Amino acid sequence: GDFPLLGRVLRQYAVDTVLHLAAQPIVGEALMNPLPAFDANIRGTYHVLEAVRQWKGVRACVVFTSDKVYGESAYAVSSEGDVLGGRAPYAASKVCADVLAETYAKTYRLPIGIARAGNLYGPGDVQWSRLVPGTIRSLLRGDRPILRSSGTPMRDYFYVEDAAEGVGVLAEALGQSSLHGEAFNFGTGVQTSALDVVRRLIACSGLPLDPVIQNEARGEIQAQCLDCSKAKRVLGWTYRTSLAEGLARTWAHAKEQA
């Protein structure tokens, strides 16, 4: 991030709410090229946090990290009190961003909250290396979808509109000083395999195709799922969109745009 520009924007527009969602978001890309991922996800985060500290006009700052901060958790379901443990470059960059957010909140008494989200999907995603958009692109071409993994990794697939609502709810709640520096999980609490997601999308398309399983992915965590009971209890938030509904919406949008 351009630190002087960040400061000027906050002051010039008297910004009172900062939602830090920017990142290098691709696990495989971070594995192949770690420095750009560290630059975006770590330096980019502390530039935003320092700009917030210097401006002093911000009433709420949400730093969006990831369920990857839990690494290969010893628990089937990760909760906010678990030890952070990212080992691969992407996960490590998110752990650093998470720790920096808490550091600024606690050290400088700033209204910063941390949102740890599941695997986002939804309309408009054109990161073709991701499972959902990549599968949809293949199906729109009439090709067999390709799974880079074995198909067995389990994830908490989380519809983007539900994530946006969660970020907004957390930003509003940061008026309470007791929540400054607190982390919240946002997801569905439901584990789904990559192969199941692909098969659901194939069913949406109506095409008689089987996926190609390459089993070549590296740096992937085998199973992740989030306990979102804290967000429900403290923020009154819970997800709204089932995987079936979210995938159907995502497919329909892509079909319209094709």
Side-chain angles (χ1 to χ4, degrees), residues 128 134-144 207 209 251:
W128 308 121
T135 298
I136 288 174
R137 185 172 69 162
S138 294
L139 293 170
L140 289 173
R141 293 172 170 176
D143 297 333
R144 294 173 66 190
L207 296 172
L209 297 172
W251 169 257

Side-chain angles (χ1 to χ4, degrees), residues 16-20 45-54 58-65 97-115 167 170-171 173-184 230:
D16 65 5
T17 303
V18 173
L19 307 178
H20 178 43
T45 298
Y46 67 65
H47 277 180
V48 169
L49 294 168
E50 179 61 13
V52 167
R53 183 185 76 86
Q54 292 188 16
V58 172
R59 65 166 185 79
C61 173
V62 176
V63 175
F64 198 80
T65 65
D98 203 293
V99 171
L100 284 166
E102 184 180 4
T103 296
Y104 267 81
K106 299 297 188 183
T107 303
Y108 303 111
R109 298 182 180 179
L110 295 173
I112 297 166
I114 301 156
V167 168
L170 176 54
L174 288 172
Q176 305 172 52
S177 60
S178 62
L179 298 185
H180 297 176
E182 289 289 306
F184 290 87
K230 180 179 176 182

Side-chain angles (χ1 to χ4, degrees), residues 27 30-31 38 68 85-94 218-221:
V27 172
L31 187 66
F38 293 156
K68 304 298 181 291
R87 294 293 182 268
Y90 176 81
S93 75
K94 287 299 190 176
R218 295 175 55 219
E220 292 280 1
I221 293 166

